[in-house]
Amino acid sequence: MSHQLPEALDQLSALLARLPGVGKRSALRLAFHILSRPREEAQQLSASLTGLHESVGFCERCGHLAGQALCDICLDPRRNPEVVCVVEGVPDLLAVEATGEFNGTYHVLHGVLSPLRGVGPSELRVAELVERVHGGGLQELILATPISVEGEATAAYIQSLVGREPKLLLSRIASGVPQGSELEYIDEATLGRALRARQAL
Ligand SMILES: [Zn+2]
């Protein structure tokens, strides 16, 4: 970075530039902005960053982000714990939530199967899902992994593991979802339709 600025500013903007979508110039602008604001704001930001990893973990049941053992969705008595929507990641969960069409709970895999990238079942929260299914009480598992080669392979793999489970309906989000698209980038109306039109496997 430049040598015309104090080290601390250089360092802050270099760290900010590591964030996604933040280039060097906007990182410097953000650093200037933080400096121009009252000291307490910088301290709040700093404290928030420091405590982040301590105060946010993963829900023991579904793998969503949680501030305690279970996430807010799993703890919500208005949600139906018998219907579980299986998604690739937290952004997909948020996309399904944004449709306002889903009243069940989730299981976040934290990835999809990808032999090319060396992602196998043990890298995903698949064993936890099978355990949930075997624990009983589930009525429907909606496989909402992306409509892509990897997403389909992941859905097929899960089907091979729990497809014969008695009294469990397996369904797949409808293929109205554009090919290859990540759920998080699909507009809410389309995703809502894909959920409503899900097909039994
Ligand atoms: Zn949860």
Side-chain angles (χ1 to χ4, degrees):
M1 298 297 279
S2 81
H3 294 287
Q4 289 113 28
L5 290 171
E7 172 79 27
L9 258 185
D10 261 355
Q11 204 176 50
L12 176 59
S13 64
L15 289 169
L16 291 169
R18 290 188 195 169
L19 300 174
V22 179
K24 278 186 181 176
R25 285 168 68 120
S26 45
L28 195 55
R29 218 175 310 136
L30 286 170
F32 282 144
H33 175 79
I34 293 167
L35 185 62
S36 75
R37 301 292 304 164
R39 178 183 295 248
E40 297 75 54
E41 284 189 19
Q43 282 163 345
Q44 279 169 2
L45 181 63
S46 159
S48 165
L49 290 171
T50 305
L52 189 62
H53 283 272
E54 282 69 38
S55 44
V56 181
F58 293 112
C59 174
E60 286 172 5
R61 188 179 299 156
C62 75
H64 182 28
L65 295 170
Q68 45 198 323
L70 294 177
C71 72
D72 289 348
I73 294 174
C74 285
L75 287 171
D76 188 343
R78 290 163 300 182
R79 307 294 296 236
N80 181 357
E82 298 183 343
V83 178
V84 173
C85 182
V86 180
V87 291
E88 173 180 1
V90 171
D92 304 304
L93 177 154
L94 297 177
V96 174
E97 282 296 282
T99 68
E101 300 265 349
F102 186 62
N103 185 43
T105 55
Y106 294 91
H107 193 88
V108 185
L109 295 170
H110 293 285
V112 281
L113 292 177
S114 172
L116 288 176
R117 286 184 286 126
V119 182
S122 58
E123 271 77 36
L124 309 177
R125 295 183 74 257
V126 167
E128 289 89 338
L129 178 61
V130 172
E131 204 174 301
R132 267 179 96 174
V133 169
H134 288 164
L138 296 194
Q139 201 179 80
E140 181 178 1
L141 213 55
I142 304 168
L143 303 177
T145 51
I147 312 292
S148 64
V149 174
E150 294 176 346
E152 295 292 358
T154 307
Y157 179 70
I158 293 170
Q159 189 184 5
S160 76
L161 293 177
V162 298
R164 287 165 195 271
E165 204 63 28
K167 291 190 213 150
L168 177 70
L169 173 66
L170 273 189
S171 61
R172 180 84 174 108
I173 50 167
S175 49
V177 174
Q179 275 285 331
S181 51
E182 301 286 327
L183 260 50
E184 56 175 307
Y185 301 121
I186 300 169
D187 71 272
E188 289 152 21
T190 306
L191 185 52
R193 261 199 310 279
L195 262 179
R196 278 197 305 275
R198 62 185 183 267
Q199 287 144 4
L201 294 173

